[in-house]
Each structure stands twice: as structure tokens, then as C-alpha cells.
């Protein structure tokens, strides 16, 4: 029997484990909600013990549901919410504080101070990122400064820092392995993405002792084995990647110019830019897409903090809808004569605006505006935000050798996944606003698929990539299947007019506007 692969996807709102059979066919899925903690406005925390218990429970449940045992597994792949910070005691394995989540804005002032003192240029040059509270370093510095005794303990080498993957790896291996992969390291603000190493200048800038950092490995590597009591026998952990990077692999975006966008709570679009990093001139992020055999592939990333969360707000905050799926039906019924724009700046605006102080706004209300127009505006906001990201990407790659617009001919094709792409109406409007095809695949668990693929690659189940051109043949051609392509139907002038209305709404929403 061909060995099985187990993927652990530790996300912001849930933890999922998926067992994959031969040819990466999903065989069993287990999932558990992750409780959220909001101790102050703008603060978001997770209990590390909840993360750990959720991982244990779902790994065990997926294996049992699939009628499999530890000995049937060729490996485990871990993929995770990125940037979230855990700090724990090496001796006891006990976290010294709750995890500070990527959405947490408590370090907004510290980031503003970095920008004002002219430090952002160094940060961007080394890490491809910006001085924004989204990333790990200022959160880690906050923990070292606010948890009693933590800084002294850290300097004595008694504490370990990790993104969620590192923390899970530490627990799964019984405290034997303190490591991460290059994609997670690339989100900390402490990692030089060109050299592929922790950066001493940045460690000094943020006041982070080197002794607490994990070792950085390839995405497909030997990360150690699980302790026997976890699944009944030791299982090798053979893949790690941040969730958006894993989705980029799961969407088989292996050639430069290929692009995917994931629509869950937020939205993350990644464009493969090949072996050389492209540093954005339009406030996008430059990040490591994957590191295999010591060679790095880079991506341009647009991160939007709120996408499907707007739909949740219509349901849970306003009570305008009973289920997320109702929004599509309402959008269809909405009055075409009303131009209502909803700018979902609930936690500020992400790429390409990076305005932490902005707050949400709705424009164009009349006495005829009802829930249908609001539902349509919520769905449209996701497409307009994507258009802003893709416009910035197109401008960044114009003239870059080897990063032509992807897919077929000169047209940019967007591969989509995440809970929100179930909405046909939204996907059609997305194609209309982008003026580009939108491809929805058959397997929607692209994040877990990417993690399983990494573990299978390391286990030797899949042929190793012998060069950039071999990877798509080894995976994309065999494991990615189109479920439906949405083609643009709206006249280009109409799409341009609506997008201009959106940009005006964003301008009026921004804190300096
Ligand atoms: N049919 C639908 N139409 C519009 N939005 C939807 C639909 N189904 C799910 N969603 C939205 O998708 C999101 C869930 O996607 P998911 O990928 O599970 O998110 P996450 O992994 O970030 O928790 C929710 O915000 C929900 O409102
Ligand atoms: O957990 P998700 O799917 O919402 O993804 C979170 C991202 O990794 C944050 O950068």
C-alpha cells in the first residue's frame, strides 16, 4: 500500500488535520474551533494549550476516521497561521504568556516610532516586510518587556521563541527539536530573506536575544519524530510552511507569474516571482514562497485583513442575514442603480494602504438602501480589494525579467481558494472587476494539500524537483484540477467606473484622508 500523509493546518479560527491517501486524495478530516481572546481593544490572543490540545485531538481523530495507524504514515506536514508569537520555557515547555496573534495591534505605537526614526528602510531591505504590528518582532519584544523576568530568562537561554509551527514541533517531539522553516522565519521581521539567515542588525534593533531563536530549515526536511504516545508510534515530521505559502504550493503555483488568492477571514494573494526577490515599490510584501534543497523561491504578497469577516459581521454583528451563503442571493436582487461602497477597515487597512488607524465606512446610502445592497457591497469589497493588490503587483513586476503575467498568454489568471470562494456571485464579480479569469480548483483544502505534498516530497513519494521546470510536472500537472473558470463578462469601462468609485471611498476612509 502507498504510504499515507497527514497534514496539520493550525489556522486562526480552527485547527484541522487531514489524512491524504495515494495521489494526495483527501481521505479523512477532523477539525476543532480555536477559542479567541480579546483582552483589550485591538488585542487578539490564543491560549497555546488550546492550540496544542486542538492539534493532538485532530491528528488522532483524522487518523482514526481514516482507519489508519501511525505505521501507515510516511510523514506529517505542518502548516500554520503565520506571525503569531509563542514564548515558552525550555525546561518545562510552559508558555510564559498567551500567544499574541497576527491580528493584534498592541504594538502600533512602537511601529510608528520605527517609521518616524527612519528604520523602516532597513527592515524592508532585509525582510521584504514593513514596520507594521502584523509581524512578529514587535510582539515578541512586547512579551520580553511585559512578562516579569522574561528578558533576563531569555538572555540566559532559558526561553524559546517560535511561530505556531515551532511551538507545535517542540511539543510533538517532546521538547527535542526547536526549529522552524524559512517561510515562517520570513514573517518575523528578524530574518534576512536574501541570505536566508537571522539578521544581527534586526535582532539588535528589536532587542531580541539570539538564544531564543529556532533553527531555520528547508520546508521539506527532517524535523524529528513525534513521541510514541502521541499517535501510538513515532512518526517523522517532514514538512513545514506558513499557511499562505502552503496554499501557494497546494494551488501548484510553481512557475514564476502564477498567482493564488485565499479568501477566508482575511485575504492573502501570493504571486510567484521566481528565484530572485522582487522588492515592492507599491507597499506589497516580499516573502519566501518556499525553500527546497537550500534554494529559495520568492513571492510578492498582498495581505488584506478583512474579507469573509465582513460577511460574518453582517450575520453576527448586524443580524442582516442568517447564513453566509444568503449574501449571494441578496447581491443578485440588489438595486443596480445604487452605488453603495463598504470599506471594511474594521482593524485598519492592510495592503497596499497599511493604515492601522483607519476604521470601516459605508458610502452611498439612500432611503432605498436595504440589506440586499449592503450584502452586495460586502461581497464587492472583497473583489475591489483584490483588484488593488493585483494592480500593485502588475506595477511591481512590469519590466521584471522572467515574471510575466501568469497562465495563458499575457493574461493574469487568479487561482482562488478559502471558504468564501463557494460564492459563485463573488467569483463572477471578481473576474469582472479584475478583467481576468478566476480559476476554482476541485480540492479546496489547498493549504493542507501543500503541507502534505512537502512531507511526501521529503519522504521520496514524489519525485524531487530537479529544477524550477520539474516541479509543476511532479505536482501541478497531476494533482491540480479545475472545477470552474469564471470569465469576465462586464464591460471594461463599467468595471473601471465602479473601481474608481471604490478608490474614492477608500480615500475618504483613510485616517489621513
Ligand atoms: N457562500 C458564501 N458566501 C460568502 N461568504 C462565505 C460563504 N461561505 C463562507 N463564507 C465566508 O468565508 C469565511 C470562512 O472561510 P474559511 O476559509 O473557513 O476561513 P478561515 O480559515 O479564515 O477561518 C467566513 O468569513 C464566511 O463568512
Ligand atoms: O489562519 P488564516 O487562514 O486566517 O491565515 C492567517 C495568515 O497566515 C496570517 O498571515
Amino acid at each position: 500500500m502507498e504510504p499515507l500523509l497527514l497534514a496539520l493546518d493550525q489556522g486562526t479560527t480552527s485547527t484541522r488535520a487531514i489524512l491524504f491517501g495515494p495521489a494526495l486524495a483527501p481521505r479523512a478530516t477532523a477539525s476543532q474551533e480555536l477559542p479567541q481572546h480579546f483582552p483589550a481593544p485591538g488585542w487578539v490572543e490564543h491560549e497555546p494549550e488550546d492550540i496544542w490540545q486542538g492539534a493532538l485531538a485532530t491528528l488522532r481523530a483524522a487518523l482514526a476516521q481514516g482507519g489508519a495507524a501511525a505505521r501507515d504514515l510516511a510523514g506529517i506536514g505542518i502548516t500554520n497561521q503565520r506571525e503569531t508569537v509563542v514564548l515558552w520555557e525550555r525546561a518545562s515547555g510552559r508558555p510564559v504568556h498567551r500567544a499574541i496573534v497576527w491580528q493584534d495591534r498592541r504594538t502600533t505605537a512602537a511601529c510608528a516610532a520605527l517609521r518616524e526614526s527612519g528604520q523602516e528602510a532597513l527592515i524592508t531591505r532585509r525582510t521584504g516586510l514593513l514596520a507594521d504590528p502584523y509581524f512578529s518582532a514587535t510582539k515578541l519584544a512586547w512579551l520580553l518587556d511585559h512578562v516579569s523576568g522574561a528578558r533576563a530568562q531569555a538572555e540566559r537561554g532559558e526561553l524559546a521563541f517560535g511561530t505556531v509551527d515551532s511551538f507545535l514541533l517542540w511539543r510533538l517531539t517532546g521538547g527535542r527539536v526547536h526549529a522552524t522553516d524559512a517561510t515562517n522565519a520570513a514573517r518575523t521581521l528578524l530574518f534576512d530573506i536574501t541570505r536566508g539567515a537571522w539578521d544581527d542588525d534586526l535582532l539588535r534593533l528589536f532587542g531580541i536575544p539570539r538564544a531564543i531563536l529556532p533553527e531555520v530549515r528547508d520546508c521539506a526536511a527532517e524535523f524529528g519524530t513525534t513521541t510514541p504516545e502521541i499517535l501510538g508510534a513515532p512518526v517523522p515530521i517532514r514538512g513545514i510552511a506558513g499557511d499562505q505559502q502552503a496554499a501557494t504550493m497546494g494551488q501548484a503555483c510553481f512557475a514564476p507569474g502564477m498567482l493564488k488568492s485565499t479568501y477566508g477571514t482575511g485575504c492573502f494573494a501570493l504571486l510567484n516571482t521566481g528565484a530572485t526577490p522582487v522588492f515592492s515599490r507599491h507597499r506589497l510584501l516580499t516573502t519566501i514562497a518556499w525553500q527546497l534543497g537550500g534554494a529559495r523561491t520568492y513571492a510578492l504578497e498582498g495581505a488584506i485583513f478583512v474579507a469573509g469577516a465582513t460577511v460574518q459581521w453582517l450575520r453576527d454583528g448586524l443580524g442582516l442575514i442568517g447564513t453566509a451563503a444568503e449574501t449571494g442571493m441578496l447581491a443578485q436582487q440588489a438595486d443596480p442603480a445604487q452605488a453603495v461602497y463598504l470599506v471594511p477597515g474594521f482593524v485598519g487597512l492592510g495592503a497596499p494602504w497599511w493604515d492601522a488607524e483607519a476604521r470601516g465606512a459605508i458610502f452611498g446610502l439612500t432611503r432605498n438602501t436595504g440589506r440586499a445592497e449592503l450584502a452586495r457591497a460586502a461581497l464587492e469589497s472583497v473583489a475591489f480589494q483584490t483588484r488593488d493588490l493585483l494592480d500593485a503587483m502588475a506595477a511591481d513586476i512590469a519590466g521584471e525579467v522572467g515574471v510575466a503575467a501568469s497562465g495563458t498568454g499575457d493574461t493574469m489568471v487568479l487561482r482562488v481558494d478559502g471558504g468564501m470562494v463557494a460564492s459563485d456571485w463573488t467569483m463572477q464579480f471578481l473576474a469582472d472587476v479584475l478583467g481576468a479569469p478566476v480559476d476554482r480548483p476541485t480540492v479546496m483544502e489547498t493549504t493542507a494539500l501543500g503541507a502534505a505534498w512537502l512531507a511526501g516530497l521529503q519522504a521520496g513519494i514524489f519525485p524531487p524537483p530537479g529544477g524550477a521546470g520539474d516541479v509543476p510536472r511532479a505536482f501541478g500537472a497531476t494533482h491540480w484540477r479545475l472545477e470552474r473558470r469564471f470569465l469576465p463578462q462586464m464591460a471594461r469601462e463599467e468595471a473601471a467606473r465602479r473601481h474608481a468609485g471604490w478608490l474614492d471611498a477608500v480615500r475618504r476612509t483613510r485616517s489621513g484622508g
Side-chain angles (χ1 to χ4, degrees):
M1 187 178 93
E2 190 179 330
L4 308 176
L5 296 161
L6 189 54
L8 178 63
D9 176 3
Q10 203 303 300
T12 312
T13 57
S14 69
T15 305
R16 308 161 69 76
I18 301 185
L19 182 68
F20 289 89
L24 285 174
R27 179 181 283 197
T29 301
S31 107
Q32 197 173 91
E33 289 284 307
L34 180 65
Q36 312 288 308
H37 300 274
F38 308 107
W43 293 28
V44 187
E45 296 181 351
H46 290 157
E47 187 55 66
E49 294 304 336
D50 290 342
I51 291 178
W52 170 237
Q53 290 304 329
L56 267 186
T58 54
L59 283 170
R60 287 173 174 157
L63 206 56
Q65 279 167 35
R71 65 174 176 282
D72 304 323
L73 295 173
I76 293 176
I78 301 174
T79 179
N80 55 289
Q81 53 166 319
R82 307 165 303 167
E83 300 97 12
T84 298
V85 169
V86 192
L87 187 62
W88 67 93
E89 288 175 357
R90 287 183 191 274
S92 64
R94 242 193 338 262
V96 302
H97 192 272
R98 282 194 193 138
I100 304 186
V101 177
W102 59 276
Q103 295 158 318
D104 191 291
R105 316 302 291 169
R106 80 186 61 182
T107 60
T108 299
C111 291
L114 285 167
R115 286 195 301 274
E116 278 151 24
S117 63
Q119 308 284 2
E120 194 173 47
L122 169 76
I123 292 173
T124 302
R125 208 163 52 240
R126 299 278 164 86
T127 68
L129 310 175
L130 300 163
D132 189 272
Y134 174 31
F135 307 104
S136 314
T138 54
K139 296 175 158 98
L140 178 54
W142 187 95
L143 285 176
L144 292 174
D145 290 338
H146 289 81
V147 175
S148 165
R151 187 166 287 284
Q153 271 186 294
E155 272 154 13
R156 290 196 299 268
E158 294 166 11
L159 298 185
F161 151 71
T163 37
V164 167
D165 57 306
S166 282
F167 173 66
L168 287 173
L169 182 65
W170 176 272
R171 287 280 174 105
L172 287 166
T173 59
R176 284 174 295 133
V177 185
H178 184 210
T180 188
D181 83 296
T183 66
N184 275 294
R187 311 298 292 190
T188 58
L189 284 188
L190 302 170
F191 194 70
D192 181 330
I193 60 166
T194 310
R195 287 190 304 119
W198 297 119
D199 187 278
D200 285 322
D201 294 333
L202 294 173
L203 291 173
R204 249 192 315 276
L205 179 66
F206 291 103
I208 308 296
R210 204 173 238 278
I212 66 174
L213 299 178
E215 180 193 323
V216 183
R217 301 185 185 169
D218 280 358
C219 300
E222 297 301 333
F223 285 97
T225 51
T226 58
T227 53
E229 67 277 11
I230 291 174
L231 294 172
V235 179
I237 299 158
R238 295 186 144 151
I240 296 187
D243 57 7
Q244 301 309 321
Q245 283 86 344
T248 310
M249 296 179 241
Q251 285 276 27
C253 290
F254 289 113
M258 292 184 84
L259 172 68
K260 76 90 201 176
S261 192
T262 300
Y263 298 92
T265 307
C267 157
F268 301 88
L270 270 78
L271 171 74
N272 180 332
T273 60
T276 319
V278 174
F279 286 89
S280 177
R281 282 162 284 120
H282 301 86
R283 314 281 290 163
L284 297 174
L285 309 175
T286 305
T287 204
I288 296 175
W290 50 82
Q291 180 177 306
L292 297 172
R296 284 176 286 287
T297 295
Y298 295 89
L300 272 175
E301 174 173 328
I304 299 171
F305 300 138
V306 173
T310 310
V311 173
Q312 278 170 343
W313 176 70
L314 292 182
R315 190 191 61 192
D316 306 335
L318 299 186
L320 284 187
I321 51 172
T323 63
E326 275 175 46
T327 49
M329 212 170 49
L330 285 168
Q332 228 157 3
Q333 296 162 0
D335 177 3
Q338 289 188 49
V340 178
Y341 290 99
L342 188 163
V343 184
F346 299 98
V347 291
L349 293 170
W353 316 109
W354 299 103
D355 186 342
E357 307 291 333
R359 287 297 173 264
I362 304 176
F363 297 93
L365 298 177
T366 69
R367 285 294 294 271
N368 292 329
T369 303
R371 62 193 197 113
E373 288 73 29
L374 288 176
R376 183 185 60 191
L379 298 182
E380 286 184 349
S381 72
V382 172
F384 288 132
Q385 292 185 96
T386 308
R387 165 80 188 261
D388 295 340
L389 295 182
L390 268 52
D391 283 353
M393 280 178 182
D396 273 342
I397 63 168
E400 286 288 336
V401 182
V403 195
S406 77
T408 49
D410 290 327
T411 326
M412 197 174 251
V413 178
L414 182 64
R415 292 187 168 185
V416 294
D417 55 68
M420 225 188 159
V421 307
S423 170
D424 289 352
W425 191 92
T426 311
M427 293 304 103
Q428 182 56 53
F429 188 73
L430 182 60
D432 287 341
V433 166
L434 298 180
V438 169
D439 282 358
R440 189 166 68 186
T442 46
V443 176
M444 294 302 299
E445 295 285 0
T446 55
T447 304
L449 191 63
W453 175 71
L454 284 172
L457 189 66
Q458 180 64 22
I461 297 175
F462 308 121
D470 288 341
V471 183
R473 276 203 295 282
F475 178 83
T478 46
H479 294 109
W480 191 92
R481 293 267 175 280
L482 181 69
E483 184 263 336
R484 180 166 170 191
R485 167 167 283 196
F486 296 85
L487 288 167
Q489 289 169 356
M490 188 182 283
R492 296 310 304 137
E493 305 72 48
E494 171 71 0
R497 194 183 57 74
R498 296 218 204 169
H499 184 235
W502 160 260
L503 287 179
D504 185 49
V506 170
R507 184 184 57 72
R508 290 193 273 168
T509 304
R510 293 181 63 190
S511 56

